[in-house]
Amino acid sequence: MLSADFLNLGKDVAMVNANADLFHLDIMDGVFVPNISYGFPVVEAIAKEATKPLDVHLMIVQPEKYVARFAGAGASMISFHAEAADDPSAVLRQIRSLGAKAGLAFNPDYPLEKVRPYLGECDFVLVMSVFAGFGGQKFIESSYERVQTIRKWIDAEGLQCTIEVDGGVSPANAAELASAGAEILVAGSAVFKAGNPAEVISHMKSL
């Protein structure tokens, strides 16, 4: 939703309700990432009209201070960055205790070996295919291999952990990401900047 038209947000919320599977909400604090996006009032406003789950992606420091408020605002899924948490396991448990699905996000340069120990505690992992903090970035090609590696680990250990990919996702790479093992694809600019967003979503789902 970072790429939505905030002067006509209701229109874009209705479009997502009718065509997509969830709302992905990027929360940026200007500290963990350079940009500031939006906070609780916008999340709550979207939640009032949303008929699909809210997937809140926290790009903030000290995520443990805010997960309860985002769960209360209507988030069904909450992810936070491994780089921003002193104790990822504690934050994952906290999110689950609030009735939301818990996810661990990480930037393209974050070592996957540091992610592996937490896979059994995650409902999903959010593989960033660009660096967190800016919309409209170019997809990083090495993301395919990172998804494949995580997929192998999840399957080998028989874990119930979904792989989500965020950053530069479009019809040009959706099929290859799905083949690599991704199950949730987050598309912002590719959808909202298109002439027919609903058509782009439909096309990506068909790949």
Side-chain angles (χ1 to χ4, degrees), residues 90-121:
V91 184
L92 290 166
R93 289 194 300 269
Q94 182 187 11
I95 294 170
R96 282 182 155 175
S97 74
L98 297 164
K101 292 183 177 179
L104 191 65
F106 42 90
N107 274 313
D109 60 351
Y110 192 75
L112 292 186
E113 291 75 17
K114 291 186 177 182
V115 175
R116 189 171 188 175
Y118 299 106
L119 292 177
E121 303 174 62

Short mmCIF file of all heavy atoms in Angstrom, two decimals, residues 90-121:
data_model
loop_
_atom_site.label_atom_id
_atom_site.label_comp_id
_atom_site.label_asym_id
_atom_site.label_seq_id
_atom_site.Cartn_x
_atom_site.Cartn_y
_atom_site.Cartn_z
N ALA A 90 11.82 -13.74 21.17
CA ALA A 90 10.87 -13.11 22.09
C ALA A 90 9.82 -12.31 21.35
O ALA A 90 8.63 -12.34 21.71
CB ALA A 90 11.61 -12.22 23.08
N VAL A 91 10.23 -11.62 20.29
CA VAL A 91 9.27 -10.82 19.52
C VAL A 91 8.33 -11.73 18.74
O VAL A 91 7.12 -11.46 18.66
CB VAL A 91 10.00 -9.84 18.58
CG1 VAL A 91 8.99 -8.95 17.86
CG2 VAL A 91 11.00 -8.99 19.34
N LEU A 92 8.85 -12.82 18.19
CA LEU A 92 7.99 -13.78 17.49
C LEU A 92 6.94 -14.35 18.43
O LEU A 92 5.76 -14.46 18.08
CB LEU A 92 8.85 -14.90 16.89
CG LEU A 92 9.75 -14.51 15.71
CD1 LEU A 92 10.77 -15.60 15.44
CD2 LEU A 92 8.91 -14.24 14.46
N ARG A 93 7.35 -14.70 19.65
CA ARG A 93 6.39 -15.22 20.64
C ARG A 93 5.36 -14.16 21.01
O ARG A 93 4.17 -14.46 21.17
CB ARG A 93 7.13 -15.70 21.89
CG ARG A 93 7.94 -16.97 21.70
CD ARG A 93 8.36 -17.56 23.04
NE ARG A 93 9.18 -16.63 23.83
CZ ARG A 93 10.51 -16.58 23.77
NH1 ARG A 93 11.17 -17.39 22.95
NH2 ARG A 93 11.18 -15.73 24.52
N GLN A 94 5.82 -12.94 21.14
CA GLN A 94 4.92 -11.84 21.49
C GLN A 94 3.83 -11.67 20.44
O GLN A 94 2.65 -11.51 20.76
CB GLN A 94 5.72 -10.55 21.65
CG GLN A 94 4.89 -9.34 22.06
CD GLN A 94 5.71 -8.05 22.04
OE1 GLN A 94 6.83 -8.03 21.53
NE2 GLN A 94 5.15 -6.99 22.60
N ILE A 95 4.24 -11.67 19.18
CA ILE A 95 3.27 -11.50 18.09
C ILE A 95 2.25 -12.63 18.10
O ILE A 95 1.04 -12.40 18.00
CB ILE A 95 4.00 -11.44 16.73
CG1 ILE A 95 4.87 -10.18 16.65
CG2 ILE A 95 3.00 -11.47 15.57
CD1 ILE A 95 5.81 -10.16 15.46
N ARG A 96 2.72 -13.85 18.22
CA ARG A 96 1.81 -14.99 18.25
C ARG A 96 0.85 -14.93 19.43
O ARG A 96 -0.32 -15.30 19.33
CB ARG A 96 2.60 -16.30 18.29
CG ARG A 96 3.17 -16.70 16.94
CD ARG A 96 3.91 -18.02 17.04
NE ARG A 96 3.96 -18.72 15.77
CZ ARG A 96 4.62 -19.84 15.58
NH1 ARG A 96 5.28 -20.41 16.59
NH2 ARG A 96 4.62 -20.43 14.41
N SER A 97 1.33 -14.44 20.57
CA SER A 97 0.48 -14.35 21.76
C SER A 97 -0.67 -13.38 21.56
O SER A 97 -1.68 -13.44 22.26
CB SER A 97 1.31 -13.93 22.98
OG SER A 97 1.64 -12.55 22.93
N LEU A 98 -0.51 -12.48 20.58
CA LEU A 98 -1.54 -11.49 20.28
C LEU A 98 -2.53 -11.98 19.24
O LEU A 98 -3.44 -11.26 18.84
CB LEU A 98 -0.88 -10.19 19.80
CG LEU A 98 0.01 -9.49 20.84
CD1 LEU A 98 0.91 -8.47 20.16
CD2 LEU A 98 -0.85 -8.84 21.91
N GLY A 99 -2.32 -13.21 18.77
CA GLY A 99 -3.24 -13.80 17.81
C GLY A 99 -2.91 -13.52 16.35
O GLY A 99 -3.69 -13.85 15.46
N ALA A 100 -1.75 -12.92 16.11
CA ALA A 100 -1.33 -12.64 14.73
C ALA A 100 -0.26 -13.63 14.30
O ALA A 100 0.41 -14.25 15.13
CB ALA A 100 -0.77 -11.22 14.63
N LYS A 101 -0.11 -13.79 12.99
CA LYS A 101 0.98 -14.62 12.47
C LYS A 101 2.28 -13.82 12.56
O LYS A 101 2.31 -12.62 12.28
CB LYS A 101 0.70 -15.02 11.02
CG LYS A 101 -0.47 -15.99 10.88
CD LYS A 101 -0.66 -16.43 9.44
CE LYS A 101 -1.79 -17.44 9.33
NZ LYS A 101 -2.00 -17.86 7.92
N ALA A 102 3.35 -14.52 12.96
CA ALA A 102 4.62 -13.85 13.22
C ALA A 102 5.62 -14.12 12.10
O ALA A 102 5.82 -15.27 11.70
CB ALA A 102 5.20 -14.33 14.55
N GLY A 103 6.25 -13.04 11.61
CA GLY A 103 7.21 -13.18 10.54
C GLY A 103 8.52 -12.47 10.82
O GLY A 103 8.55 -11.45 11.51
N LEU A 104 9.59 -13.02 10.27
CA LEU A 104 10.92 -12.43 10.41
C LEU A 104 11.35 -11.92 9.03
O LEU A 104 11.40 -12.68 8.07
CB LEU A 104 11.92 -13.47 10.92
CG LEU A 104 13.29 -12.94 11.36
CD1 LEU A 104 13.15 -12.03 12.58
CD2 LEU A 104 14.21 -14.11 11.69
N ALA A 105 11.64 -10.63 8.96
CA ALA A 105 12.10 -10.00 7.72
C ALA A 105 13.60 -9.76 7.80
O ALA A 105 14.17 -9.66 8.89
CB ALA A 105 11.37 -8.68 7.49
N PHE A 106 14.23 -9.65 6.63
CA PHE A 106 15.67 -9.40 6.61
C PHE A 106 16.08 -8.86 5.24
O PHE A 106 15.51 -9.20 4.22
CB PHE A 106 16.47 -10.65 6.96
CG PHE A 106 15.95 -11.91 6.31
CD1 PHE A 106 16.41 -12.33 5.08
CD2 PHE A 106 14.96 -12.66 6.94
CE1 PHE A 106 15.91 -13.46 4.47
CE2 PHE A 106 14.46 -13.81 6.34
CZ PHE A 106 14.94 -14.21 5.11
N ASN A 107 17.09 -8.00 5.26
CA ASN A 107 17.57 -7.34 4.05
C ASN A 107 18.41 -8.28 3.18
O ASN A 107 18.85 -9.34 3.64
CB ASN A 107 18.38 -6.10 4.43
CG ASN A 107 17.51 -4.88 4.63
OD1 ASN A 107 16.65 -4.58 3.81
ND2 ASN A 107 17.74 -4.16 5.72
N PRO A 108 18.65 -7.88 1.93
CA PRO A 108 19.39 -8.75 1.00
C PRO A 108 20.80 -9.11 1.42
O PRO A 108 21.36 -10.10 0.94
CB PRO A 108 19.40 -7.94 -0.31
CG PRO A 108 18.19 -7.08 -0.21
CD PRO A 108 18.08 -6.71 1.23
N ASP A 109 21.41 -8.30 2.29
CA ASP A 109 22.77 -8.59 2.73
C ASP A 109 22.82 -9.29 4.08
O ASP A 109 23.91 -9.52 4.63
CB ASP A 109 23.61 -7.31 2.78
CG ASP A 109 23.05 -6.26 3.74
OD1 ASP A 109 21.92 -6.46 4.24
OD2 ASP A 109 23.73 -5.24 3.96
N TYR A 110 21.67 -9.66 4.62
CA TYR A 110 21.64 -10.33 5.93
C TYR A 110 21.96 -11.80 5.73
O TYR A 110 21.34 -12.46 4.88
CB TYR A 110 20.26 -10.16 6.57
CG TYR A 110 20.21 -10.57 8.03
CD1 TYR A 110 20.76 -9.77 9.01
CD2 TYR A 110 19.59 -11.77 8.41
CE1 TYR A 110 20.71 -10.13 10.35
CE2 TYR A 110 19.54 -12.14 9.75
CZ TYR A 110 20.09 -11.31 10.71
OH TYR A 110 20.04 -11.67 12.04
N PRO A 111 22.91 -12.36 6.47
CA PRO A 111 23.30 -13.76 6.26
C PRO A 111 22.15 -14.73 6.54
O PRO A 111 21.53 -14.69 7.62
CB PRO A 111 24.44 -13.96 7.29
CG PRO A 111 24.94 -12.59 7.59
CD PRO A 111 23.74 -11.70 7.51
N LEU A 112 21.88 -15.60 5.60
CA LEU A 112 20.77 -16.54 5.77
C LEU A 112 21.02 -17.50 6.93
O LEU A 112 20.07 -17.99 7.55
CB LEU A 112 20.55 -17.34 4.48
CG LEU A 112 20.01 -16.55 3.28
CD1 LEU A 112 19.71 -17.52 2.14
CD2 LEU A 112 18.76 -15.77 3.65
N GLU A 113 22.28 -17.77 7.22
CA GLU A 113 22.59 -18.69 8.32
C GLU A 113 22.06 -18.15 9.66
O GLU A 113 21.77 -18.92 10.57
CB GLU A 113 24.10 -18.91 8.42
CG GLU A 113 24.68 -19.69 7.25
CD GLU A 113 24.79 -18.88 5.97
OE1 GLU A 113 24.73 -17.62 6.04
OE2 GLU A 113 24.93 -19.47 4.88
N LYS A 114 21.93 -16.83 9.74
CA LYS A 114 21.39 -16.23 10.97
C LYS A 114 19.87 -16.36 11.04
O LYS A 114 19.27 -16.26 12.11
CB LYS A 114 21.78 -14.75 11.06
CG LYS A 114 23.26 -14.51 11.31
CD LYS A 114 23.52 -13.03 11.53
CE LYS A 114 24.98 -12.77 11.87
NZ LYS A 114 25.23 -11.33 12.14
N VAL A 115 19.25 -16.59 9.90
CA VAL A 115 17.79 -16.75 9.84
C VAL A 115 17.37 -18.18 10.19
O VAL A 115 16.35 -18.40 10.85
CB VAL A 115 17.26 -16.38 8.43
CG1 VAL A 115 15.76 -16.65 8.31
CG2 VAL A 115 17.58 -14.93 8.10
N ARG A 116 18.18 -19.12 9.76
CA ARG A 116 17.80 -20.53 9.87
C ARG A 116 17.36 -20.97 11.26
O ARG A 116 16.35 -21.69 11.39
CB ARG A 116 18.95 -21.42 9.39
CG ARG A 116 18.56 -22.88 9.27
CD ARG A 116 19.64 -23.70 8.59
NE ARG A 116 19.17 -25.05 8.31
CZ ARG A 116 19.87 -25.96 7.65
NH1 ARG A 116 21.08 -25.65 7.17
NH2 ARG A 116 19.37 -27.16 7.44
N PRO A 117 18.02 -20.55 12.36
CA PRO A 117 17.60 -21.02 13.68
C PRO A 117 16.19 -20.59 14.07
O PRO A 117 15.59 -21.20 14.97
CB PRO A 117 18.63 -20.38 14.62
CG PRO A 117 19.82 -20.09 13.76
CD PRO A 117 19.25 -19.74 12.44
N TYR A 118 15.65 -19.57 13.40
CA TYR A 118 14.33 -19.05 13.78
C TYR A 118 13.19 -19.58 12.91
O TYR A 118 12.02 -19.29 13.20
CB TYR A 118 14.34 -17.51 13.69
CG TYR A 118 15.35 -16.87 14.60
CD1 TYR A 118 16.53 -16.32 14.08
CD2 TYR A 118 15.15 -16.82 15.97
CE1 TYR A 118 17.47 -15.73 14.91
CE2 TYR A 118 16.10 -16.23 16.82
CZ TYR A 118 17.24 -15.69 16.28
OH TYR A 118 18.17 -15.11 17.10
N LEU A 119 13.50 -20.33 11.88
CA LEU A 119 12.47 -20.76 10.94
C LEU A 119 11.35 -21.54 11.62
O LEU A 119 10.18 -21.41 11.27
CB LEU A 119 13.08 -21.60 9.82
CG LEU A 119 14.00 -20.86 8.84
CD1 LEU A 119 14.59 -21.82 7.82
CD2 LEU A 119 13.25 -19.73 8.14
N GLY A 120 11.71 -22.35 12.61
CA GLY A 120 10.70 -23.14 13.32
C GLY A 120 9.79 -22.31 14.20
O GLY A 120 8.73 -22.79 14.63
N GLU A 121 10.18 -21.07 14.46
CA GLU A 121 9.38 -20.18 15.30
C GLU A 121 8.55 -19.20 14.48
O GLU A 121 7.76 -18.44 15.03
CB GLU A 121 10.30 -19.39 16.24
CG GLU A 121 11.18 -20.24 17.14
CD GLU A 121 12.16 -19.39 17.92
OE1 GLU A 121 11.69 -18.55 18.72
OE2 GLU A 121 13.38 -19.55 17.73
#
